[in-house]
Amino acid sequence: MDKIEKQQLNQSIKTEEEESISAKKSTFLDPRLKQGYSFLLKFLTPLKKFIISYLKALTIITWMVVTIIEVITVTQPINPQDKTISLDASWIIGLPAQLQNGAWSGRDFYFTYGPLWQVITLIGSNFSNSTTIDGSPTINLAISILEIGLIGLSVALIRQLNARHTFILLAVIFVLNFQGNMLFARPMSTVVCILLVQRCLASPSPRNRVIWAVSGGLAFMLAQLISADLGVYTVLGAIAALLFFTVASFFKERLHRPDLLTPRIYLTTLGIVVGTYLAANILTSLVFSLTSSNYQGFFDYQIYNYEIIRGYSYTMGGTVWQLSAITTIALIATVIFVLCLIGFSFTRIGVADIYLLICLAASGLFQLKGITVRSDLGHIMLGTLPLVFLFMIIGLIGKERGWYRHFIFKGAWFVLAFFLLAGWPSATLRTITQVGSVVDGTISLSGQIQKLTTGHLPISNVIPAGLDKAIDPTKAILSFPQDTFIPIALNKKMVGPVHQAYSAFTPALQQKYVSDLQRLKNTFEVVYGLDSLSASALENVQQVTRVPIIFEYLYRNYTLKTPQVFDGKYVLLKPRPTPNDFVATDIPFEVTKPWDGKLETIRLTKPATCSMLRVTPKINYPILSLIGRPTQLNVKIWRGGKITQQTSLVTIEPGKPFSTYLSLIDPDKFYQIFATSQPVQTKEVDSLQFQPLSDVFLSMAPSSVDISKIECITFK
């Protein structure tokens, strides 16, 4: 072998050895590289999630701080020149005053708002350095902060929203000025509740599902403790969603949804949620029964709150629809859009997204009931807010997550968003300028806080001259029907089995009211506000018509303490030594035009001269009134072709006969009925007409009106 061949052979051997060593190294390093890469992925993935979660949380917290600053700047301080306190302001400051006296809503008295709302108002009131009557600005601020917290929590619970989505959503909410109405805390609490149910369904762990389900049931109870109807709305929304998924799970192969859970899991979840809610109700009743001798029946809290919900629907529907026609059409189209989107995307998107869409939609649909009863702009926003919230989420992440792929959905969303934004009653860019004014120093935040906490309304502005001296200093005060600020301003204990008597919507609530008053009869005096002078007749319904049983009790058992009419609108009543009564005479009549859905006319056999009429109607509504607005009746009382009195009648007991009063006395002379030796005004009547309110959106006229008895009331 020559020299060249030896060199080639050595080179070949060397190359083979190097390749062998390289192969060995490769075999040795590959597993380590793979392990390192795998470890890096395991480290970076949660780090990425943490960063995204951190940015989302930071966005929410920043928005909350900025929004609280904006709310502080726009909250109106006490105006020391004010001469009146509105109905809403009166009940708002009345709730913490009741709690300061040891009276809890749902235990010692009944009202639309519950004990948790009462606690929040007390916290707000305590930030006022003045008296309770001056606490409405800080109370409003406390409730607004609660609402801001609920909005932030809602966004945090939606895992599909990243930091960018969160920023855009909260910016839109800021411009729509959700924070501008403190009562928006109501619908946002239902959104939080249903999102807990959604998180329960989306959780892969059975243990976590139980935790989320129990949390949802407890949240439903907290919502009920804010306002009784919220508990009903949230529970019904959860039941509807879970039953839908239960039924769908039986057909998951046909629906191309193999990722749905089993029917047993959905029904178990429903049982845990509802069971927790019911257990919390029983515990609440137990606590109430053990802590107060005033609490009589074990389930009185639930029974009378149900009466408030039922009665509210039939007696508070006198407002006309106030939203513009274009925005109304946009709202209806939004509901249709959301339902169509869910239907078209049901088989194509992730199961967690389906849970989110259907849970929020179910809860939002039940909330719409609120707008069919009270249809002013504020209540319309309250009722539609959950669906508008869902609609905004769809626009933000719908395309990214494949909720809609067709151009029609995208185009429809932008068109609807334009009209909703343009027509949303509280939308304003002023929210941005307010924060800017704080930043540039135009508005002093500390100065505004000082105004809110130190504002003072002189008692002489709202308490008529001489009333404080006429009241027995040893007795409590019943302010009838609604001016609860009077005992607060006079630093007196407040009596009121139903907070503001107009809220005793049904005979059962009125009987409860009277029963509690009877037990306390000699411990309080009554400040009676005259209709249309001190007390606004809600929807033109007289107090004697709205709460006839309470009126009867006050007339029979109380008399004028002093003949003075304070400020022309209040009289002071003291207990009678013996009950009094009025004279009731049956009036023969004939129905000249039976009820046809639009009008009923009654002619008296002969004219009658009366101070009041007591009528006994039986009013039925169609089944659709459960989702619409049962409208009240306008009543025209005639004599000789001229209208003697025009008022309204509400149905305090639908489907059953009930008796109520129609006063013919002029408001400034009504106090005469409580005098012992003064003649009471009378008027002559020969016919009556009953007709529903003018046709308005969502109104439901009675299907039948049957007047079985009319009595002429005169006073001794």
Side-chain angles (χ1 to χ4, degrees), residues 185-307:
R186 289 169 46 90
M188 288 313 303
S189 66
T190 66
V191 171
V192 170
C193 290
I194 203 66
L195 285 174
L196 291 173
V197 175
Q198 180 266 331
R199 289 294 296 270
C200 166
L201 297 177
S203 176
S205 165
R207 177 176 174 273
N208 288 344
R209 277 200 296 269
V210 172
I211 294 173
W212 283 112
V214 171
S215 300
L218 293 175
F220 293 171
M221 188 65 208
L222 291 176
Q224 179 176 298
L225 294 175
I226 289 177
S227 182
D229 58 317
L230 297 184
V232 175
Y233 288 144
T234 52
V235 169
L236 289 177
I239 291 174
L242 287 166
L243 288 180
F244 172 84
F245 288 121
T246 301
V247 174
S249 64
F250 282 106
F251 307 98
K252 56 185 178 180
E253 298 300 330
R254 187 177 299 177
L255 293 172
H256 306 291
R257 294 264 32 153
D259 48 1
L260 288 176
L261 302 173
T262 64
R264 180 174 174 272
I265 293 177
Y266 290 124
L267 290 176
T268 301
T269 301
L270 178 60
I272 294 173
V273 170
V274 175
T276 303
Y277 170 72
L278 294 177
N281 265 281
I282 292 172
L283 180 60
T284 301
S285 292
L286 180 62
V287 171
F288 282 174
S289 63
L290 293 176
T291 56
S292 176
S293 58
N294 296 328
Y295 191 78
Q296 298 171 342
F298 188 80
F299 289 111
D300 276 3
Y301 168 66
Q302 290 79 15
I303 291 170
Y304 290 115
N305 273 317
Y306 166 73
E307 288 293 319

Side-chain angles (χ1 to χ4, degrees), residues 147-197:
E147 180 211 340
I148 292 167
L150 290 171
I151 293 173
L153 180 57
S154 298
V155 175
L157 284 170
I158 302 174
R159 301 186 67 177
Q160 290 88 338
L161 297 175
N162 59 29
R164 178 175 61 86
H165 301 141
T166 298
F167 175 81
I168 297 172
L169 177 61
L170 292 178
V172 174
I173 287 174
F174 191 73
V175 173
L176 290 178
N177 199 20
F178 280 16
Q179 68 278 4
N181 186 333
M182 67 172 186
L183 296 184
F184 279 8
R186 289 169 46 90
M188 288 313 303
S189 66
T190 66
V191 171
V192 170
C193 290
I194 203 66
L195 285 174
L196 291 173
V197 175

Side-chain angles (χ1 to χ4, degrees), residues 478-637:
L478 167 64
S479 186
F480 179 89
Q482 62 202 34
D483 290 337
T484 54
F485 66 84
I486 291 177
I488 298 172
L490 296 176
N491 198 27
K492 305 283 288 183
K493 185 176 180 180
M494 187 188 312
V495 174
V498 175
H499 193 61
Q500 296 189 313
Y502 78 87
S503 297
F505 303 118
T506 67
L509 283 166
Q510 293 174 38
Q511 292 287 1
K512 171 65 175 173
Y513 193 105
V514 166
S515 174
D516 285 1
L517 288 187
Q518 184 61 29
R519 288 189 295 106
L520 303 169
K521 180 178 177 182
N522 294 314
T523 65
F524 66 91
E525 294 178 330
V526 180
V527 176
Y528 194 108
L530 302 176
D531 266 354
S532 303
L533 299 176
S534 75
S536 58
L538 294 171
E539 282 81 60
N540 194 37
V541 181
Q542 300 169 346
Q543 298 303 331
V544 297
T545 307
R546 190 177 289 279
V547 286
I549 296 172
I550 298 175
F551 160 70
E552 282 183 7
Y553 176 82
L554 292 178
Y555 168 73
R556 289 190 169 114
N557 293 279
Y558 287 83
T559 186
L560 288 179
K561 182 178 182 180
T562 169
Q564 183 178 356
V565 180
F566 297 95
D567 201 20
K569 54 188 179 183
Y570 297 105
V571 291
L572 183 62
L573 308 180
K574 65 177 182 179
R576 292 182 187 268
T578 57
N580 195 16
D581 208 347
F582 44 69
V583 178
T585 307
D586 282 354
I587 305 176
F589 65 91
E590 61 175 333
V591 179
T592 57
K593 180 176 176 48
W595 180 257
D596 60 358
K598 295 183 179 180
L599 180 69
E600 177 166 325
T601 302
I602 291 175
R603 180 168 296 279
L604 307 186
T605 304
K606 62 179 181 179
T609 302
C610 317
S611 296
M612 291 185 183
L613 297 176
R614 182 162 64 186
V615 297
T616 303
K618 179 182 177 183
I619 303 174
N620 292 300
Y621 287 90
I623 191 66
L624 287 177
S625 65
L626 294 174
I627 59 174
R629 173 180 34 238
T631 186
Q632 63 195 40
L633 295 176
N634 282 337
V635 184
K636 294 179 181 178
I637 303 173

Side-chain angles (χ1 to χ4, degrees), residues 424-480:
W424 189 255
S426 65
T428 176
L429 294 176
R430 192 186 66 165
T431 54
I432 300 173
T433 61
Q434 287 293 124
V435 176
S437 298
V438 174
V439 174
D440 64 20
T442 305
I443 296 177
S444 169
L445 193 61
S446 59
Q448 176 69 1
I449 293 174
Q450 185 177 13
K451 290 179 183 178
L452 295 176
T453 56
T454 60
H456 178 62
L457 182 66
I459 302 302
S460 58
N461 282 23
V462 293
I463 300 298
L467 180 60
D468 55 337
K469 296 179 181 178
I471 292 173
D472 187 334
T474 66
K475 292 188 176 182
I477 295 177
L478 167 64
S479 186
F480 179 89

